[in-house]
PDB file of all heavy atoms in Angstrom:
ATOM      1  N   ILE A   1       2.083  34.597 115.111  1.00 97.00           N
ATOM      2  CA  ILE A   1       1.919  35.958 115.596  1.00 97.00           C
ATOM      3  C   ILE A   1       2.928  36.154 116.763  1.00 97.00           C
ATOM      4  O   ILE A   1       2.714  35.593 117.873  1.00 97.00           O
ATOM      5  CB  ILE A   1       0.475  36.343 116.066  1.00 97.00           C
ATOM      6  CG1 ILE A   1      -0.509  36.008 114.936  1.00 97.00           C
ATOM      7  CG2 ILE A   1       0.373  37.719 116.520  1.00 97.00           C
ATOM      8  CD1 ILE A   1      -1.957  35.958 115.369  1.00 97.00           C
ATOM      9  N   ASN A   2       3.986  36.873 116.506  1.00 97.00           N
ATOM     10  CA  ASN A   2       4.970  37.269 117.545  1.00 97.00           C
ATOM     11  C   ASN A   2       5.446  36.081 118.368  1.00 97.00           C
ATOM     12  O   ASN A   2       5.482  36.126 119.610  1.00 97.00           O
ATOM     13  CB  ASN A   2       4.396  38.338 118.464  1.00 97.00           C
ATOM     14  CG  ASN A   2       4.080  39.641 117.750  1.00 97.00           C
ATOM     15  OD1 ASN A   2       4.832  39.969 116.838  1.00 97.00           O
ATOM     16  ND2 ASN A   2       3.019  40.322 118.108  1.00 97.00           N
ATOM     17  N   ILE A   3       5.824  34.986 117.677  1.00 97.00           N
ATOM     18  CA  ILE A   3       6.218  33.776 118.415  1.00 97.00           C
ATOM     19  C   ILE A   3       7.721  33.903 118.843  1.00 97.00           C
ATOM     20  O   ILE A   3       8.526  34.450 118.102  1.00 97.00           O
ATOM     21  CB  ILE A   3       6.012  32.463 117.658  1.00 97.00           C
ATOM     22  CG1 ILE A   3       6.708  32.517 116.350  1.00 97.00           C
ATOM     23  CG2 ILE A   3       4.520  32.176 117.506  1.00 97.00           C
ATOM     24  CD1 ILE A   3       6.690  31.158 115.590  1.00 97.00           C
ATOM     25  N   SER A   4       7.995  33.396 120.028  1.00 96.00           N
ATOM     26  CA  SER A   4       9.409  33.405 120.595  1.00 96.00           C
ATOM     27  C   SER A   4       9.674  32.064 121.251  1.00 96.00           C
ATOM     28  O   SER A   4       8.754  31.376 121.739  1.00 96.00           O
ATOM     29  CB  SER A   4       9.580  34.514 121.622  1.00 96.00           C
ATOM     30  OG  SER A   4       9.456  35.802 121.011  1.00 96.00           O
ATOM     31  N   LYS A   5      11.015  31.682 121.151  1.00 95.00           N
ATOM     32  CA  LYS A   5      11.397  30.398 121.827  1.00 95.00           C
ATOM     33  C   LYS A   5      12.801  30.513 122.315  1.00 95.00           C
ATOM     34  O   LYS A   5      13.718  30.969 121.554  1.00 95.00           O
ATOM     35  CB  LYS A   5      11.245  29.238 120.915  1.00 95.00           C
ATOM     36  CG  LYS A   5      11.416  27.888 121.568  1.00 95.00           C
ATOM     37  CD  LYS A   5      10.364  27.587 122.556  1.00 95.00           C
ATOM     38  CE  LYS A   5      10.562  26.287 123.290  1.00 95.00           C
ATOM     39  NZ  LYS A   5       9.500  25.994 124.345  1.00 95.00           N
ATOM     40  N   SER A   6      13.027  30.164 123.584  1.00 94.00           N
ATOM     41  CA  SER A   6      14.406  30.147 124.122  1.00 94.00           C
ATOM     42  C   SER A   6      14.709  28.776 124.744  1.00 94.00           C
ATOM     43  O   SER A   6      13.784  28.056 125.138  1.00 94.00           O
ATOM     44  CB  SER A   6      14.554  31.164 125.211  1.00 94.00           C
ATOM     45  OG  SER A   6      14.373  32.509 124.725  1.00 94.00           O
ATOM     46  N   TYR A   7      15.994  28.424 124.739  1.00 90.00           N
ATOM     47  CA  TYR A   7      16.506  27.201 125.440  1.00 90.00           C
ATOM     48  C   TYR A   7      17.552  27.673 126.456  1.00 90.00           C
ATOM     49  O   TYR A   7      18.627  28.201 126.052  1.00 90.00           O
ATOM     50  CB  TYR A   7      17.130  26.236 124.481  1.00 90.00           C
ATOM     51  CG  TYR A   7      16.203  25.640 123.459  1.00 90.00           C
ATOM     52  CD1 TYR A   7      16.151  26.178 122.163  1.00 90.00           C
ATOM     53  CD2 TYR A   7      15.321  24.618 123.799  1.00 90.00           C
ATOM     54  CE1 TYR A   7      15.243  25.604 121.211  1.00 90.00           C
ATOM     55  CE2 TYR A   7      14.429  24.035 122.879  1.00 90.00           C
ATOM     56  CZ  TYR A   7      14.407  24.578 121.587  1.00 90.00           C
ATOM     57  OH  TYR A   7      13.521  24.022 120.649  1.00 90.00           O
ATOM     58  N   ASP A   8      17.146  27.698 127.700  1.00 87.00           N
ATOM     59  CA  ASP A   8      17.921  28.203 128.803  1.00 87.00           C
ATOM     60  C   ASP A   8      18.214  29.739 128.488  1.00 87.00           C
ATOM     61  O   ASP A   8      17.201  30.469 128.347  1.00 87.00           O
ATOM     62  CB  ASP A   8      19.294  27.461 128.973  1.00 87.00           C
ATOM     63  CG  ASP A   8      19.024  26.031 129.381  1.00 87.00           C
ATOM     64  OD1 ASP A   8      18.077  25.775 130.156  1.00 87.00           O
ATOM     65  OD2 ASP A   8      19.763  25.172 128.870  1.00 87.00           O
ATOM     66  N   ASP A   9      19.493  30.141 128.350  1.00 87.00           N
ATOM     67  CA  ASP A   9      19.684  31.542 128.135  1.00 87.00           C
ATOM     68  C   ASP A   9      19.829  31.861 126.637  1.00 87.00           C
ATOM     69  O   ASP A   9      20.053  33.066 126.262  1.00 87.00           O
ATOM     70  CB  ASP A   9      21.057  31.991 128.828  1.00 87.00           C
ATOM     71  CG  ASP A   9      20.960  31.826 130.338  1.00 87.00           C
ATOM     72  OD1 ASP A   9      19.814  32.042 130.885  1.00 87.00           O
ATOM     73  OD2 ASP A   9      21.915  31.573 130.968  1.00 87.00           O
ATOM     74  N   LEU A  10      19.645  30.929 125.770  1.00 88.00           N
ATOM     75  CA  LEU A  10      19.781  31.097 124.339  1.00 88.00           C
ATOM     76  C   LEU A  10      18.421  31.343 123.726  1.00 88.00           C
ATOM     77  O   LEU A  10      17.586  30.459 123.686  1.00 88.00           O
ATOM     78  CB  LEU A  10      20.475  29.863 123.673  1.00 88.00           C
ATOM     79  CG  LEU A  10      20.667  29.988 122.171  1.00 88.00           C
ATOM     80  CD1 LEU A  10      21.634  31.107 121.807  1.00 88.00           C
ATOM     81  CD2 LEU A  10      21.179  28.640 121.603  1.00 88.00           C
ATOM     82  N   GLN A  11      18.174  32.514 123.153  1.00 91.00           N
ATOM     83  CA  GLN A  11      16.970  32.863 122.491  1.00 91.00           C
ATOM     84  C   GLN A  11      17.131  32.472 121.029  1.00 91.00           C
ATOM     85  O   GLN A  11      17.961  32.967 120.296  1.00 91.00           O
ATOM     86  CB  GLN A  11      16.569  34.305 122.658  1.00 91.00           C
ATOM     87  CG  GLN A  11      15.223  34.631 121.940  1.00 91.00           C
ATOM     88  CD  GLN A  11      14.501  35.809 122.546  1.00 91.00           C
ATOM     89  OE1 GLN A  11      15.170  36.843 122.693  1.00 91.00           O
ATOM     90  NE2 GLN A  11      13.221  35.768 122.830  1.00 91.00           N
ATOM     91  N   VAL A  12      16.297  31.491 120.611  1.00 92.00           N
ATOM     92  CA  VAL A  12      16.389  31.015 119.210  1.00 92.00           C
ATOM     93  C   VAL A  12      15.496  31.788 118.224  1.00 92.00           C
ATOM     94  O   VAL A  12      15.896  32.145 117.144  1.00 92.00           O
ATOM     95  CB  VAL A  12      16.083  29.498 119.195  1.00 92.00           C
ATOM     96  CG1 VAL A  12      16.163  28.935 117.789  1.00 92.00           C
ATOM     97  CG2 VAL A  12      17.013  28.743 120.191  1.00 92.00           C
ATOM     98  N   ILE A  13      14.219  31.953 118.666  1.00 95.00           N
ATOM     99  CA  ILE A  13      13.296  32.668 117.798  1.00 95.00           C
ATOM    100  C   ILE A  13      12.751  33.841 118.664  1.00 95.00           C
ATOM    101  O   ILE A  13      12.365  33.614 119.788  1.00 95.00           O
ATOM    102  CB  ILE A  13      12.106  31.789 117.342  1.00 95.00           C
ATOM    103  CG1 ILE A  13      12.649  30.494 116.677  1.00 95.00           C
ATOM    104  CG2 ILE A  13      11.109  32.532 116.442  1.00 95.00           C
ATOM    105  CD1 ILE A  13      13.280  30.682 115.356  1.00 95.00           C
ATOM    106  N   LYS A  14      12.674  35.034 118.081  1.00 94.00           N
ATOM    107  CA  LYS A  14      12.137  36.208 118.856  1.00 94.00           C
ATOM    108  C   LYS A  14      11.177  37.004 118.000  1.00 94.00           C
ATOM    109  O   LYS A  14      11.473  37.462 116.887  1.00 94.00           O
ATOM    110  CB  LYS A  14      13.390  37.170 119.158  1.00 94.00           C
ATOM    111  CG  LYS A  14      13.003  38.314 120.010  1.00 94.00           C
ATOM    112  CD  LYS A  14      14.205  39.191 120.282  1.00 94.00           C
ATOM    113  CE  LYS A  14      13.831  40.404 121.107  1.00 94.00           C
ATOM    114  NZ  LYS A  14      14.952  41.315 121.441  1.00 94.00           N
ATOM    115  N   ASP A  15       9.942  37.090 118.583  1.00 95.00           N
ATOM    116  CA  ASP A  15       8.897  37.898 118.078  1.00 95.00           C
ATOM    117  C   ASP A  15       8.706  37.789 116.544  1.00 95.00           C
ATOM    118  O   ASP A  15       8.714  38.804 115.788  1.00 95.00           O
ATOM    119  CB  ASP A  15       9.149  39.406 118.373  1.00 95.00           C
ATOM    120  CG  ASP A  15       9.119  39.668 119.935  1.00 95.00           C
ATOM    121  OD1 ASP A  15       8.331  38.900 120.584  1.00 95.00           O
ATOM    122  OD2 ASP A  15       9.832  40.569 120.417  1.00 95.00           O
ATOM    123  N   PHE A  16       8.580  36.533 116.129  1.00 96.00           N
ATOM    124  CA  PHE A  16       8.481  36.291 114.670  1.00 96.00           C
ATOM    125  C   PHE A  16       7.008  36.151 114.233  1.00 96.00           C
ATOM    126  O   PHE A  16       6.246  35.417 114.879  1.00 96.00           O
ATOM    127  CB  PHE A  16       9.298  35.059 114.197  1.00 96.00           C
ATOM    128  CG  PHE A  16       9.149  34.693 112.776  1.00 96.00           C
ATOM    129  CD1 PHE A  16       9.551  35.596 111.812  1.00 96.00           C
ATOM    130  CD2 PHE A  16       8.574  33.489 112.361  1.00 96.00           C
ATOM    131  CE1 PHE A  16       9.447  35.271 110.468  1.00 96.00           C
ATOM    132  CE2 PHE A  16       8.483  33.148 111.028  1.00 96.00           C
ATOM    133  CZ  PHE A  16       8.857  34.091 110.086  1.00 96.00           C
ATOM    134  N   SER A  17       6.675  36.816 113.168  1.00 96.00           N
ATOM    135  CA  SER A  17       5.243  36.730 112.679  1.00 96.00           C
ATOM    136  C   SER A  17       5.412  36.384 111.116  1.00 96.00           C
ATOM    137  O   SER A  17       6.277  36.859 110.383  1.00 96.00           O
ATOM    138  CB  SER A  17       4.535  38.073 112.796  1.00 96.00           C
ATOM    139  OG  SER A  17       4.367  38.383 114.172  1.00 96.00           O
ATOM    140  N   VAL A  18       4.473  35.500 110.685  1.00 96.00           N
ATOM    141  CA  VAL A  18       4.449  35.090 109.317  1.00 96.00           C
ATOM    142  C   VAL A  18       3.116  34.636 108.913  1.00 96.00           C
ATOM    143  O   VAL A  18       2.346  34.044 109.809  1.00 96.00           O
ATOM    144  CB  VAL A  18       5.569  34.058 109.014  1.00 96.00           C
ATOM    145  CG1 VAL A  18       5.159  32.676 109.689  1.00 96.00           C
ATOM    146  CG2 VAL A  18       5.777  33.799 107.546  1.00 96.00           C
ATOM    147  N   SER A  19       2.703  34.773 107.692  1.00 97.00           N
ATOM    148  CA  SER A  19       1.454  34.193 107.146  1.00 97.00           C
ATOM    149  C   SER A  19       1.756  33.437 105.899  1.00 97.00           C
ATOM    150  O   SER A  19       2.459  33.881 104.991  1.00 97.00           O
ATOM    151  CB  SER A  19       0.486  35.280 106.858  1.00 97.00           C
ATOM    152  OG  SER A  19      -0.705  34.821 106.355  1.00 97.00           O
ATOM    153  N   ILE A  20       1.406  32.079 105.906  1.00 97.00           N
ATOM    154  CA  ILE A  20       1.659  31.233 104.769  1.00 97.00           C
ATOM    155  C   ILE A  20       0.410  30.775 104.139  1.00 97.00           C
ATOM    156  O   ILE A  20      -0.540  30.373 104.880  1.00 97.00           O
ATOM    157  CB  ILE A  20       2.490  30.001 105.253  1.00 97.00           C
ATOM    158  CG1 ILE A  20       3.909  30.487 105.727  1.00 97.00           C
ATOM    159  CG2 ILE A  20       2.675  28.984 104.097  1.00 97.00           C
ATOM    160  CD1 ILE A  20       4.712  29.489 106.464  1.00 97.00           C
ATOM    161  N   SER A  21       0.254  30.855 102.792  1.00 96.00           N
ATOM    162  CA  SER A  21      -0.993  30.664 102.119  1.00 96.00           C
ATOM    163  C   SER A  21      -0.998  29.355 101.291  1.00 96.00           C
ATOM    164  O   SER A  21       0.078  28.692 101.073  1.00 96.00           O
ATOM    165  CB  SER A  21      -1.270  31.869 101.214  1.00 96.00           C
ATOM    166  OG  SER A  21      -1.290  33.074 101.868  1.00 96.00           O
ATOM    167  N   LYS A  22      -2.144  29.090 100.717  1.00 96.00           N
ATOM    168  CA  LYS A  22      -2.352  27.896  99.891  1.00 96.00           C
ATOM    169  C   LYS A  22      -1.354  27.956  98.685  1.00 96.00           C
ATOM    170  O   LYS A  22      -1.178  29.007  98.065  1.00 96.00           O
ATOM    171  CB  LYS A  22      -3.781  27.888  99.427  1.00 96.00           C
ATOM    172  CG  LYS A  22      -4.096  26.738  98.455  1.00 96.00           C
ATOM    173  CD  LYS A  22      -5.509  26.718  97.944  1.00 96.00           C
ATOM    174  CE  LYS A  22      -5.807  25.609  96.994  1.00 96.00           C
ATOM    175  NZ  LYS A  22      -7.185  25.662  96.495  1.00 96.00           N
ATOM    176  N   GLY A  23      -0.753  26.793  98.401  1.00 95.00           N
ATOM    177  CA  GLY A  23       0.018  26.594  97.172  1.00 95.00           C
ATOM    178  C   GLY A  23       1.458  27.051  97.346  1.00 95.00           C
ATOM    179  O   GLY A  23       2.267  26.868  96.400  1.00 95.00           O
ATOM    180  N   GLU A  24       1.833  27.709  98.411  1.00 97.00           N
ATOM    181  CA  GLU A  24       3.215  28.141  98.608  1.00 97.00           C
ATOM    182  C   GLU A  24       4.096  26.961  98.909  1.00 97.00           C
ATOM    183  O   GLU A  24       3.735  25.991  99.607  1.00 97.00           O
ATOM    184  CB  GLU A  24       3.333  29.215  99.742  1.00 97.00           C
ATOM    185  CG  GLU A  24       2.731  30.555  99.369  1.00 97.00           C
ATOM    186  CD  GLU A  24       3.197  31.654 100.332  1.00 97.00           C
ATOM    187  OE1 GLU A  24       2.642  31.675 101.432  1.00 97.00           O
ATOM    188  OE2 GLU A  24       4.104  32.402  99.952  1.00 97.00           O
ATOM    189  N   LYS A  25       5.321  27.040  98.426  1.00 97.00           N
ATOM    190  CA  LYS A  25       6.376  26.043  98.707  1.00 97.00           C
ATOM    191  C   LYS A  25       7.549  26.806  99.415  1.00 97.00           C
ATOM    192  O   LYS A  25       8.254  27.482  98.703  1.00 97.00           O
ATOM    193  CB  LYS A  25       6.796  25.294  97.499  1.00 97.00           C
ATOM    194  CG  LYS A  25       5.647  24.396  96.886  1.00 97.00           C
ATOM    195  CD  LYS A  25       6.099  23.625  95.734  1.00 97.00           C
ATOM    196  CE  LYS A  25       5.076  22.541  95.320  1.00 97.00           C
ATOM    197  NZ  LYS A  25       3.777  23.150  94.898  1.00 97.00           N
ATOM    198  N   VAL A  26       7.617  26.616 100.682  1.00 97.00           N
ATOM    199  CA  VAL A  26       8.484  27.509 101.491  1.00 97.00           C
ATOM    200  C   VAL A  26       9.753  26.680 101.965  1.00 97.00           C
ATOM    201  O   VAL A  26       9.638  25.636 102.513  1.00 97.00           O
ATOM    202  CB  VAL A  26       7.786  28.021 102.761  1.00 97.00           C
ATOM    203  CG1 VAL A  26       8.675  28.948 103.553  1.00 97.00           C
ATOM    204  CG2 VAL A  26       6.522  28.740 102.355  1.00 97.00           C
ATOM    205  N   GLY A  27      10.930  27.212 101.655  1.00 96.00           N
ATOM    206  CA  GLY A  27      12.155  26.594 102.099  1.00 96.00           C
ATOM    207  C   GLY A  27      12.731  27.355 103.268  1.00 96.00           C
ATOM    208  O   GLY A  27      12.872  28.590 103.258  1.00 96.00           O
ATOM    209  N   ILE A  28      13.076  26.641 104.381  1.00 95.00           N
ATOM    210  CA  ILE A  28      13.630  27.219 105.576  1.00 95.00           C
ATOM    211  C   ILE A  28      15.113  26.886 105.584  1.00 95.00           C
ATOM    212  O   ILE A  28      15.508  25.740 105.548  1.00 95.00           O
ATOM    213  CB  ILE A  28      12.899  26.745 106.859  1.00 95.00           C
ATOM    214  CG1 ILE A  28      11.426  27.037 106.826  1.00 95.00           C
ATOM    215  CG2 ILE A  28      13.569  27.363 108.051  1.00 95.00           C
ATOM    216  CD1 ILE A  28      10.610  26.480 107.952  1.00 95.00           C
ATOM    217  N   VAL A  29      16.000  27.933 105.545  1.00 91.00           N
ATOM    218  CA  VAL A  29      17.414  27.736 105.521  1.00 91.00           C
ATOM    219  C   VAL A  29      18.120  28.447 106.590  1.00 91.00           C
ATOM    220  O   VAL A  29      17.558  29.316 107.362  1.00 91.00           O
ATOM    221  CB  VAL A  29      17.964  28.256 104.121  1.00 91.00           C
ATOM    222  CG1 VAL A  29      17.326  27.545 102.977  1.00 91.00           C
ATOM    223  CG2 VAL A  29      17.754  29.736 103.986  1.00 91.00           C
ATOM    224  N   GLY A  30      19.369  28.141 106.825  1.00 87.00           N
ATOM    225  CA  GLY A  30      20.179  28.666 107.870  1.00 87.00           C
ATOM    226  C   GLY A  30      21.172  27.660 108.381  1.00 87.00           C
ATOM    227  O   GLY A  30      21.108  26.482 108.081  1.00 87.00           O
ATOM    228  N   THR A  31      22.134  28.077 109.181  1.00 80.00           N
ATOM    229  CA  THR A  31      23.136  27.195 109.664  1.00 80.00           C
ATOM    230  C   THR A  31      22.567  26.203 110.681  1.00 80.00           C
ATOM    231  O   THR A  31      21.487  26.366 111.258  1.00 80.00           O
ATOM    232  CB  THR A  31      24.347  27.984 110.317  1.00 80.00           C
ATOM    233  OG1 THR A  31      25.416  27.109 110.512  1.00 80.00           O
ATOM    234  CG2 THR A  31      23.910  28.581 111.641  1.00 80.00           C
ATOM    235  N   ASN A  32      23.346  25.151 110.965  1.00 76.00           N
ATOM    236  CA  ASN A  32      22.953  24.152 111.988  1.00 76.00           C
ATOM    237  C   ASN A  32      22.858  24.779 113.316  1.00 76.00           C
ATOM    238  O   ASN A  32      23.684  25.608 113.722  1.00 76.00           O
ATOM    239  CB  ASN A  32      23.889  22.949 111.999  1.00 76.00           C
ATOM    240  CG  ASN A  32      23.701  22.035 110.872  1.00 76.00           C
ATOM    241  OD1 ASN A  32      22.696  22.013 110.197  1.00 76.00           O
ATOM    242  ND2 ASN A  32      24.689  21.200 110.546  1.00 76.00           N
ATOM    243  N   GLY A  33      21.811  24.424 114.126  1.00 78.00           N
ATOM    244  CA  GLY A  33      21.694  24.876 115.461  1.00 78.00           C
ATOM    245  C   GLY A  33      21.157  26.257 115.644  1.00 78.00           C
ATOM    246  O   GLY A  33      21.026  26.762 116.772  1.00 78.00           O
ATOM    247  N   VAL A  34      20.669  26.890 114.562  1.00 86.00           N
ATOM    248  CA  VAL A  34      20.219  28.259 114.552  1.00 86.00           C
ATOM    249  C   VAL A  34      18.677  28.346 114.899  1.00 86.00           C
ATOM    250  O   VAL A  34      18.192  29.436 115.312  1.00 86.00           O
ATOM    251  CB  VAL A  34      20.511  28.997 113.246  1.00 86.00           C
ATOM    252  CG1 VAL A  34      19.557  28.626 112.166  1.00 86.00           C
ATOM    253  CG2 VAL A  34      20.603  30.504 113.546  1.00 86.00           C
ATOM    254  N   GLY A  35      17.966  27.264 114.773  1.00 91.00           N
ATOM    255  CA  GLY A  35      16.519  27.191 115.101  1.00 91.00           C
ATOM    256  C   GLY A  35      15.556  26.870 114.037  1.00 91.00           C
ATOM    257  O   GLY A  35      14.380  27.097 114.187  1.00 91.00           O
ATOM    258  N   LYS A  36      16.047  26.332 112.897  1.00 93.00           N
ATOM    259  CA  LYS A  36      15.143  25.967 111.790  1.00 93.00           C
ATOM    260  C   LYS A  36      14.071  24.945 112.216  1.00 93.00           C
ATOM    261  O   LYS A  36      12.886  25.124 111.953  1.00 93.00           O
ATOM    262  CB  LYS A  36      15.955  25.447 110.630  1.00 93.00           C
ATOM    263  CG  LYS A  36      17.036  26.359 110.121  1.00 93.00           C
ATOM    264  CD  LYS A  36      17.672  25.865 108.794  1.00 93.00           C
ATOM    265  CE  LYS A  36      18.379  24.563 108.979  1.00 93.00           C
ATOM    266  NZ  LYS A  36      19.524  24.569 109.921  1.00 93.00           N
ATOM    267  N   THR A  37      14.516  23.892 112.838  1.00 93.00           N
ATOM    268  CA  THR A  37      13.644  22.820 113.280  1.00 93.00           C
ATOM    269  C   THR A  37      12.716  23.329 114.360  1.00 93.00           C
ATOM    270  O   THR A  37      11.505  22.995 114.389  1.00 93.00           O
ATOM    271  CB  THR A  37      14.407  21.569 113.771  1.00 93.00           C
ATOM    272  OG1 THR A  37      15.082  21.016 112.648  1.00 93.00           O
ATOM    273  CG2 THR A  37      13.486  20.515 114.307  1.00 93.00           C
ATOM    274  N   THR A  38      13.243  24.150 115.193  1.00 95.00           N
ATOM    275  CA  THR A  38      12.391  24.792 116.282  1.00 95.00           C
ATOM    276  C   THR A  38      11.224  25.504 115.680  1.00 95.00           C
ATOM    277  O   THR A  38      10.074  25.423 116.102  1.00 95.00           O
ATOM    278  CB  THR A  38      13.195  25.713 117.186  1.00 95.00           C
ATOM    279  OG1 THR A  38      14.197  24.935 117.866  1.00 95.00           O
ATOM    280  CG2 THR A  38      12.387  26.415 118.182  1.00 95.00           C
ATOM    281  N   LEU A  39      11.526  26.346 114.639  1.00 96.00           N
ATOM    282  CA  LEU A  39      10.465  27.116 113.994  1.00 96.00           C
ATOM    283  C   LEU A  39       9.522  26.209 113.293  1.00 96.00           C
ATOM    284  O   LEU A  39       8.275  26.388 113.423  1.00 96.00           O
ATOM    285  CB  LEU A  39      11.121  28.031 112.940  1.00 96.00           C
ATOM    286  CG  LEU A  39      10.138  28.790 112.051  1.00 96.00           C
ATOM    287  CD1 LEU A  39       9.247  29.730 112.879  1.00 96.00           C
ATOM    288  CD2 LEU A  39      10.919  29.625 110.964  1.00 96.00           C
ATOM    289  N   LEU A  40       9.938  25.205 112.656  1.00 96.00           N
ATOM    290  CA  LEU A  40       9.102  24.281 111.983  1.00 96.00           C
ATOM    291  C   LEU A  40       8.143  23.530 112.893  1.00 96.00           C
ATOM    292  O   LEU A  40       6.962  23.362 112.688  1.00 96.00           O
ATOM    293  CB  LEU A  40       9.866  23.273 111.122  1.00 96.00           C
ATOM    294  CG  LEU A  40       9.200  22.571 109.946  1.00 96.00           C
ATOM    295  CD1 LEU A  40       8.848  23.552 108.886  1.00 96.00           C
ATOM    296  CD2 LEU A  40      10.113  21.497 109.352  1.00 96.00           C
ATOM    297  N   ARG A  41       8.715  23.136 114.026  1.00 95.00           N
ATOM    298  CA  ARG A  41       7.911  22.381 114.999  1.00 95.00           C
ATOM    299  C   ARG A  41       6.841  23.288 115.671  1.00 95.00           C
ATOM    300  O   ARG A  41       5.779  22.804 115.995  1.00 95.00           O
ATOM    301  CB  ARG A  41       8.815  21.758 116.088  1.00 95.00           C
ATOM    302  CG  ARG A  41       9.575  20.521 115.569  1.00 95.00           C
ATOM    303  CD  ARG A  41      10.617  20.037 116.515  1.00 95.00           C
ATOM    304  NE  ARG A  41       9.965  19.613 117.789  1.00 95.00           N
ATOM    305  CZ  ARG A  41       9.393  18.460 118.000  1.00 95.00           C
ATOM    306  NH1 ARG A  41       9.273  17.599 117.073  1.00 95.00           N
ATOM    307  NH2 ARG A  41       8.821  18.157 119.176  1.00 95.00           N
ATOM    308  N   MET A  42       7.196  24.569 115.885  1.00 97.00           N
ATOM    309  CA  MET A  42       6.166  25.497 116.405  1.00 97.00           C
ATOM    310  C   MET A  42       5.051  25.715 115.365  1.00 97.00           C
ATOM    311  O   MET A  42       3.829  25.732 115.779  1.00 97.00           O
ATOM    312  CB  MET A  42       6.834  26.845 116.833  1.00 97.00           C
ATOM    313  CG  MET A  42       7.643  26.776 118.125  1.00 97.00           C
ATOM    314  SD  MET A  42       8.083  28.365 118.826  1.00 97.00           S
ATOM    315  CE  MET A  42       9.261  29.003 117.588  1.00 97.00           C
ATOM    316  N   LEU A  43       5.414  25.856 114.081  1.00 97.00           N
ATOM    317  CA  LEU A  43       4.381  26.003 113.137  1.00 97.00           C
ATOM    318  C   LEU A  43       3.490  24.771 113.043  1.00 97.00           C
ATOM    319  O   LEU A  43       2.270  24.889 112.719  1.00 97.00           O
ATOM    320  CB  LEU A  43       5.019  26.334 111.791  1.00 97.00           C
ATOM    321  CG  LEU A  43       5.700  27.687 111.569  1.00 97.00           C
ATOM    322  CD1 LEU A  43       6.375  27.781 110.157  1.00 97.00           C
ATOM    323  CD2 LEU A  43       4.668  28.807 111.760  1.00 97.00           C
ATOM    324  N   MET A  44       4.069  23.604 113.301  1.00 96.00           N
ATOM    325  CA  MET A  44       3.319  22.304 113.281  1.00 96.00           C
ATOM    326  C   MET A  44       2.574  22.086 114.600  1.00 96.00           C
ATOM    327  O   MET A  44       1.894  21.047 114.733  1.00 96.00           O
ATOM    328  CB  MET A  44       4.215  21.256 112.988  1.00 96.00           C
ATOM    329  CG  MET A  44       4.574  21.069 111.486  1.00 96.00           C
ATOM    330  SD  MET A  44       3.116  20.671 110.465  1.00 96.00           S
ATOM    331  CE  MET A  44       2.673  19.036 111.052  1.00 96.00           C
ATOM    332  N   LYS A  45       2.665  22.984 115.569  1.00 96.00           N
ATOM    333  CA  LYS A  45       2.052  22.842 116.921  1.00 96.00           C
ATOM    334  C   LYS A  45       2.583  21.630 117.615  1.00 96.00           C
ATOM    335  O   LYS A  45       1.866  20.981 118.456  1.00 96.00           O
ATOM    336  CB  LYS A  45       0.516  22.800 116.797  1.00 96.00           C
ATOM    337  CG  LYS A  45      -0.092  24.102 116.279  1.00 96.00           C
ATOM    338  CD  LYS A  45      -1.606  24.064 116.306  1.00 96.00           C
ATOM    339  CE  LYS A  45      -2.222  25.382 115.871  1.00 96.00           C
ATOM    340  NZ  LYS A  45      -3.682  25.351 115.920  1.00 96.00           N
TER     341      LYS A  45
END
């Protein structure tokens, strides 16, 4: 729910909301350094 994450002055994730349900297989894509692992680690707490 409206998650955001910055590193110093670089905002990687801004006000992102998502709901993931049972049985879904979700692929996270994007260029290197853009925040894919950051998003995954936040979802994993």
Side-chain angles (χ1 to χ4, degrees):
I1 304 167
N2 296 325
I3 57 172
S4 298
K5 188 67 182 178
S6 297
Y7 295 100
D8 297 325
D9 296 330
L10 178 65
Q11 184 157 44
V12 180
I13 307 293
K14 183 180 179 182
D15 295 332
F16 177 60
S17 297
V18 70
S19 179
I20 296 169
S21 303
K22 177 183 177 180
E24 288 195 282
K25 293 182 170 65
V26 183
I28 301 176
V29 301
T31 192
N32 284 341
V34 79
K36 302 187 299 295
T37 296
T38 296
L39 174 60
L40 201 65
R41 285 173 61 80
M42 284 195 292
L43 291 175
M44 281 296 294
K45 295 186 178 181

